[in-house]
Amino acid sequence: ATVDDGSCIAVVNGCTDAAAFNYDPLANTDDGSCVAVVNGCTNSSAPNYNSSANVDDGSCLVAAMVNLFFSEYAEGSSNNKYLEIYNPTSNTVDLSAYAYPNVSNAPTIVGTYEWWNDFDAGAVILPNDVYIIAHPSADPSILAFADETHLYLSNGDDGYALVYGNNPGSPADPVTGGYVIVDWLGDWNGDPGSGWAVAGVSNATKDHTLVRKC
């Protein structure tokens, strides 16, 4: 050009990647400042606060973790199976922040659950009370006490955990998935054979009822 026609556009440095956290729609020259989006809980007062997150994904937990635990477990004949969870506190515990993920026999990835099992909507445990998950085809004497049913309870060799946190969306270990393991029935480390040993009894998680000691 030898004659300026007034069409000059000023250089505006900034992040030009529309997928970046700090995308600048006014920038026309990328200055290398783009910051990747990191989803997570950005509320510093939440128990699962993620200091690396810059976009809140709605995963923040309101209530602090309570030390619930498996107080009883049964793997009986046919489908007579149940899990019992105890609330040792004087407060009602909302179970929306908890789950009971499991593996079937040997896990696909050692140390990682295969199925994430949320509690039924609205589930709570009253103070010093229990919450019972039973097989839907269990004996009526068991179902009479059940708070919810779950079709895939263990045959003795399927590890279950009681966890605190949100569903990661796909199987992940606790560190990657951002959840906390509160208690175990078995583990996610591999197929134990017929069952896990408990209190010196081999295969105790098969064909037995287990009651937690005080």
Side-chain angles (χ1 to χ4, degrees), residues 22-142:
N22 60 329
Y23 167 63
D24 184 354
L26 300 178
N28 55 32
T29 302
D30 197 286
D31 60 2
S33 65
C34 292
V35 176
V37 169
V38 179
N39 293 304
C41 173
T42 60
N43 182 353
S44 60
S45 63
N48 63 327
Y49 167 63
N50 183 353
S51 60
S52 300
N54 51 33
V55 175
D56 197 286
D57 60 1
S59 66
C60 291
L61 299 169
V62 177
M65 186 182 78
V66 176
N67 289 322
L68 307 174
F69 57 85
F70 290 117
S71 49
E72 193 165 313
Y73 158 92
E75 198 289 308
S77 61
S78 186
N79 290 314
N80 295 321
K81 312 169 191 290
Y82 64 84
L83 309 176
E84 179 188 272
I85 299 165
Y86 180 62
N87 171 13
T89 75
S90 57
N91 299 309
T92 297
V93 175
D94 179 357
L95 291 174
S96 61
Y98 297 82
Y100 51 103
N102 74 293
V103 298
S104 178
N105 303 316
T108 304
I109 302 172
V110 174
T112 301
Y113 68 88
E114 293 177 300
W115 290 277
W116 184 274
N117 308 303
D118 287 312
F119 288 91
D120 285 352
V124 299
I125 311 184
L126 298 177
N128 303 119
D129 202 356
V130 297
Y131 190 93
I132 295 174
I133 306 161
H135 192 284
S137 298
D139 188 86
S141 62
I142 294 174

